[in-house]
Amino acid sequence: MSSQQRTVIIFKSESESTDVYAETLLGHNFQPLFVPTLSFGFKNLDQLQAKLQTPDKYAGIIFTSPRCVEAVAEALQLAELPGGWKLLHNYAVGEVTHNLAMSTLQQLFTHGKQTGNARNLGDFIVDTFDGSRNLPLLLPCGNLATDTLLSKLIENGFCVDACEVYETKCNPQLAECMDRALKAENIEFLAFFSPSGVNCAYEYFKARNITPDQWKLVAIGPSTRRALESLGLKVLCTAERPTVEHLVKVLLNPQESRERLLRERLDVA
């Protein structure tokens, strides 16, 4: 590794997007180290499978993470998703989730991939939905899902069938992975991708009596920033959306992110 490269520890499970992240970050002279913070286990797949067989009873489906798409694929047990879903109002919170639905669910197209987080997706659905609100939107979710999206939709007259289909836990190998990652040279940034990832990583730091503030903390999305701040940690900058382009943007120009956050807080006040 070049001494000029700045190391970024990324608290994110390896996925199809990992190579894209690595290539893009290396191209901007950042050395990425991926630490899988979370582990996942599916549940209630029989219930989900039954719901998937009746697209005529739904207005559409909402995917808030890649895990939700994987749960649907797992519930189908290699069978095809009933074609009726393609005629409905389907949504995904980000590009990775959108692409996964396209590749694993018979090219199921979803709207809203540009929104990047649950709050923005809720606004997008409310603003653009032109179907019947008498039928529910199917919302496969995890055990740590927040009520942000659900509350937004219900407040605006939508019916939502939320189905808890996976559990999120701290990766049992997290400590081992972190011990190895912290031996790297030129560590400058820690980038967090989810509130649950923040909590798991914080438990590691607390157990090792390590102060995370000795590095520059980067949040992916506002909910992750709030999770860090709730622990009394100072966030250097916040990426607007969970893409490598938005991450690189704030790493190269953290001041712009801080100024945007200040404007947002002044607008709320």
Side-chain angles (χ1 to χ4, degrees):
M1 181 180 72
S2 167
S3 61
Q4 299 301 312
Q5 286 183 322
R6 298 182 289 171
T7 298
V8 188
I9 295 180
I10 300 176
F11 292 95
K12 180 180 183 300
S13 297
E14 294 193 21
S15 65
E16 291 180 9
S17 64
T18 302
D19 289 344
V20 176
Y21 272 81
E23 181 180 347
T24 306
L25 286 162
L26 286 167
H28 288 86
N29 220 29
F30 294 105
Q31 176 67 39
L33 293 178
F34 294 92
V35 173
T37 322
L38 306 172
S39 63
F40 304 93
F42 296 120
K43 60 191 290 189
N44 300 325
L45 294 187
D46 288 346
Q47 295 177 25
L48 178 59
Q49 182 186 46
K51 296 174 189 293
L52 293 171
Q53 300 308 315
T54 57
D56 55 301
K57 294 183 179 180
Y58 291 94
I61 189 168
I62 303 173
F63 298 110
T64 55
S65 73
R67 236 64 56 196
C68 297
V69 179
E70 291 168 0
V72 167
E74 190 76 14
L76 291 169
Q77 298 179 347
L78 301 181
E80 289 194 358
L81 181 73
W85 287 101
K86 291 188 177 182
L87 306 176
L88 303 181
H89 298 77
N90 304 309
Y91 302 93
V93 79
E95 291 185 17
V96 173
T97 305
H98 166 85
N99 292 340
L100 190 60
M102 288 286 286
S103 63
T104 63
L105 300 176
Q106 293 81 54
Q107 298 293 302
L108 182 69
F109 183 84
T110 58
H111 300 275
K113 65 179 182 179
Q114 75 283 358
T115 56
N117 61 61
R119 187 182 303 275
N120 290 344
L121 181 60
D123 291 339
F124 176 82
I125 294 173
V126 169
D127 292 342
T128 63
F129 186 84
D130 60 358
S132 170
R133 299 192 184 187
N134 294 324
L135 292 174
L137 288 161
L138 180 58
L139 179 64
C141 59
N143 62 312
L144 300 181
T146 65
D147 291 334
T148 302
L149 176 60
L150 184 62
S151 298
K152 178 73 174 182
L153 295 175
I154 291 175
E155 287 169 5
N156 285 274
F158 287 86
C159 299
V160 181
D161 182 3
C163 181
E164 192 173 296
V165 295
Y166 69 90
E167 287 187 318
T168 303
K169 301 176 182 178
C170 295
N171 177 12
Q173 277 80 50
L174 174 60
E176 179 184 337
C177 293
M178 277 302 301
D179 288 345
R180 186 164 55 247
L182 291 179
K183 294 177 181 177
E185 298 178 2
N186 300 332
I187 299 173
E188 185 171 347
F189 302 96
L190 306 183
F192 298 86
F193 270 72
S194 69
S196 48
V198 168
N199 293 331
C200 290
Y202 186 71
E203 288 302 315
Y204 166 84
F205 288 123
K206 190 166 65 172
R208 294 291 197 278
N209 199 27
I210 296 172
T211 305
D213 279 343
Q214 63 187 283
W215 299 287
K216 298 172 182 176
L217 307 186
V218 180
I220 311 300
S223 61
T224 304
R225 182 191 71 240
R226 289 190 291 269
L228 287 163
E229 290 175 341
S230 72
L231 295 170
L233 299 172
K234 182 180 178 182
V235 179
L236 173 71
C237 53
T238 305
E240 292 181 79
R241 295 175 187 164
T243 69
V244 67
E245 291 79 14
H246 284 85
L247 176 58
V248 168
K249 181 180 178 181
V250 295
L251 290 176
L252 292 174
N253 190 3
Q255 182 61 30
E256 180 182 336
S257 166
R258 292 197 295 271
E259 290 173 354
R260 185 184 69 251
L261 178 59
L262 180 59
R263 288 195 301 271
E264 291 172 356
R265 287 175 170 169
L266 289 173
D267 289 342
V268 171

